[in-house]
Amino acid sequence: MWDLEERIVKEKQRYLDFVELNKGKHIYIYGAGKQAIPIADFFKENNIIIDGFCVTDRSSNRGKINKLPVYQVDELPYQDAAFVLGVRVQLNNEIEAILKNNGYTNYLLASDLVRYLGPYGYSFYISPMIEITTKLGCAIDCKYCPQELFIREYLKEKKSDMVLSFENYKICIDKLPENTFVEFAGFTEPFFNAQCMKMIQYAKEKGHRVNLFTTLRGLRLDQVDELLKIDFEEFVLHVPDQEGYAIIPVDQQYKEIVKKLSRAKKKNGNNFIDYACAQGTVLNEVGEILKNNIRVYVVLNNRAGNLQDKCLYGRKDIQGRLRCELSRDINHNVLLPDGRVILCSNDWGMKHVMGNLIYESYEQILNGEEAQKIRKSMSNECQDFVLCRNCFQAIEEGDP
């Protein structure tokens, strides 16, 4: 697979050159979401001071990010401004037109490499990561999760455990390299396993960086203070939608938990909840709690072709050499309740079972027969089909 390192170095220099060229001017990052934050982190890392963030419509955004103000583009206090676009590449033309309509012509367009600029995004890319599926089946029953497909394939192994025991979890975690991200997400709500909190704490005790993606179902109100003590790298909340695509009951306890989490801060002063996701229009009473403090995203894809809904974003039959935009190697995997390890969080049909971490070493799994087959297919050295050729996160060699 081709190496990204040189392009990342050049991309960082592109931003540094733009800042140097505009020394003495008021610099803003245009955007306030997942593309803008890595740029802000990169600037902070390089002691570059900016004036704030700029958006098209401030009413749908937070008032401050990293203690810096968020301005609406037609309300900026200065005309001698320079803008770094922190948006998806597909929005470059739209934002460029907005800036020109407001009299601004000094800007740096966004690129596909934004996610790697900040220390978190780059570290996540170069490090191993394993998602934990704490049990089989999920009562959330999201419309855009192929649960039936996963359960059917999983149960073909007749003696498979339905729930990940803490004992087996420990066996698996103890085999991971220390720099591995441990992500509680996988194919179910993590807290449907009563041992989830204990599992999270154990991963932290072992020195791992931990992420959590949760709907909060299964989490009790009396556990929230314990959760807030955990230093998550990334905490993502999945919220209920008005369309009912996700079954997340909104009772008084749920609202109290969301209120407490949405007001909490991490050690670095950032929001405890990094962002939220919804499968449709956010339920009003939950939106009222989050308000503009927590950014909510609605990004739906076809799970590498495992969902057939034509309205979902996806790609098909990608040709040539590939890489994953999330990882440098095929080491961002999913641990299932019986110890089996599959390729990634899009492998709902369990096309690529790489081994079993209870009975094998981590190195054996990453260098086993299935892993080698995947690498050869991604590098286009063989014609065997790999799931990645239908995945929206696959990057073709030569992509801009």
Side-chain angles (χ1 to χ4, degrees):
M1 277 185 249
W2 59 299
D3 202 344
L4 198 63
E5 309 300 325
E6 187 176 338
R7 289 186 63 215
I8 293 173
V9 170
K10 288 181 179 179
E11 180 70 358
K12 288 182 175 181
Q13 191 59 50
R14 187 171 77 100
Y15 284 89
L16 294 175
D17 290 344
F18 182 80
V19 170
E20 180 63 28
L21 187 66
N22 289 282
K23 187 178 288 185
K25 295 180 181 177
H26 298 280
I27 296 178
Y28 299 92
I29 296 174
Y30 201 112
K34 289 191 285 186
Q35 307 298 317
I37 300 302
I39 298 174
D41 290 342
F42 172 68
F43 283 166
K44 184 177 180 180
E45 199 175 34
N46 286 273
N47 299 314
I48 294 170
I49 298 174
I50 63 172
D51 288 70
F53 296 81
C54 175
V55 294
T56 306
D57 181 6
R58 192 159 54 88
S59 67
S60 59
N61 286 277
R62 291 172 280 177
K64 286 189 176 183
I65 299 175
N66 297 346
K67 299 181 180 179
L68 291 171
V70 177
Y71 296 97
Q72 191 162 295
V73 64
D74 57 1
E75 298 175 348
L76 284 169
Y78 306 104
Q79 196 62 35
D80 62 332
F83 300 87
V84 174
L85 271 62
V87 298
R88 289 182 288 115
V89 173
Q90 295 90 327
L91 295 177
N92 268 337
N93 292 340
E94 179 184 331
I95 303 304
E96 188 175 19
I98 291 171
L99 286 171
K100 286 181 178 179
N101 286 340
N102 283 276
Y104 298 108
T105 57
N106 190 4
Y107 48 81
L108 185 70
L109 295 176
S111 85
D112 282 328
L113 300 178
V114 166
R115 67 162 61 244
Y116 310 115
L117 293 183
Y120 172 76
Y122 182 70
S123 179
F124 188 78
Y125 170 72
I126 65 172
S127 304
M129 185 275 285
I130 195 153
E131 287 191 40
I132 311 298
T133 298
T134 61
K135 71 180 291 290
L136 180 68
C138 185
I140 307 299
D141 196 26
C142 292
K143 179 179 179 180
Y144 301 112
C145 285
Q147 281 291 326
E148 288 185 14
L149 171 64
F150 170 58
I151 292 170
R152 183 172 66 247
E153 293 301 318
Y154 186 88
L155 292 177
K156 285 180 179 179
E157 192 75 37
K158 302 296 183 183
K159 296 182 180 180
S160 298
D161 294 336
M162 302 296 106
V163 178
L164 177 62
S165 70
F166 185 71
E167 292 71 24
N168 283 341
Y169 168 80
K170 281 183 65 177
I171 290 171
C172 295
I173 294 298
D174 288 348
K175 293 181 179 181
L176 299 175
E178 190 174 330
N179 68 330
T180 304
F181 280 80
V182 177
E183 190 163 282
F184 287 83
F187 298 157
T188 190
E189 162 55 54
F191 286 109
F192 282 151
N193 185 321
Q195 300 293 312
C196 180
M197 186 74 77
K198 189 176 177 183
M199 291 176 176
I200 293 172
Q201 292 167 334
Y202 184 76
K204 290 298 293 183
E205 289 170 9
K206 295 290 292 186
H208 295 290
R209 291 166 289 183
V210 176
N211 294 336
L212 175 60
F213 289 69
T214 180
T215 65
L216 303 177
R217 283 198 66 180
L219 179 72
R220 302 190 311 272
L221 184 58
D222 61 7
Q223 292 178 301
V224 175
D225 287 341
E226 198 173 357
L227 188 70
L228 289 172
K229 293 176 184 177
I230 298 168
D231 186 19
F232 290 103
E233 295 290 322
E234 192 169 41
F235 185 103
V236 180
L237 178 64
H238 290 253
V239 295
D241 53 88
Q242 294 183 28
E243 295 82 358
Y245 294 147
I247 304 173
I248 306 174
V250 180
D251 54 18
Q252 190 57 39
Q253 175 177 273
Y254 174 83
K255 288 190 279 190
E256 287 301 316
I257 292 175
V258 174
K259 283 179 185 177
K260 199 162 186 177
L261 293 177
S262 65
R263 295 168 182 169
K265 300 291 183 182
K266 294 183 178 179
K267 290 179 181 179
N268 60 9
N270 293 339
N271 289 338
F272 188 80
I273 301 174
D274 289 282
Y275 60 93
C277 292
Q279 295 198 37
T281 308
V282 181
L283 200 66
N284 286 334
E285 51 191 319
V286 177
E288 280 299 309
I289 297 172
L290 299 178
K291 293 185 177 177
N292 293 334
N293 188 40
I294 306 296
R295 187 75 176 264
V296 182
Y297 294 90
V298 181
V299 181
L300 303 173
N301 67 83
N302 66 7
R303 311 284 187 171
N306 283 310
L307 288 169
Q308 302 306 313
D309 192 326
K310 293 181 180 179
C311 296
L312 299 175
Y313 177 67
R315 301 175 74 187
K316 189 175 181 181
D317 299 330
I318 304 169
Q319 301 299 307
R321 292 165 60 119
L322 304 174
R323 68 172 176 85
C324 177
E325 69 172 347
L326 296 179
S327 62
R328 184 162 59 180
D329 194 8
I330 56 168
N331 58 359
H332 280 209
N333 315 119
V334 179
L335 175 71
L336 302 182
D338 62 357
R340 279 182 287 178
V341 174
I342 59 176
L343 175 59
C344 70
S345 57
N346 279 322
D347 194 4
W348 290 79
M350 297 180 63
K351 182 178 180 64
H352 301 294
V353 179
M354 300 169 66
N356 192 304
L357 196 51
I358 295 174
Y359 307 110
E360 300 172 77
S361 71
Y362 185 73
E363 291 72 24
Q364 284 175 314
I365 290 173
L366 265 292
N367 295 291
E369 182 179 346
E370 186 66 22
Q372 295 299 341
K373 182 179 174 183
I374 295 166
R375 290 190 183 96
K376 285 182 179 180
S377 185
M378 290 181 72
S379 64
N380 215 27
E381 292 177 21
C382 68
Q383 296 304 310
D384 290 338
F385 174 78
V386 67
L387 182 72
C388 312
R389 297 202 176 276
N390 282 344
C391 185
F392 78 103
Q393 288 176 319
I395 304 293
E396 301 167 70
E397 184 173 22
D399 269 2

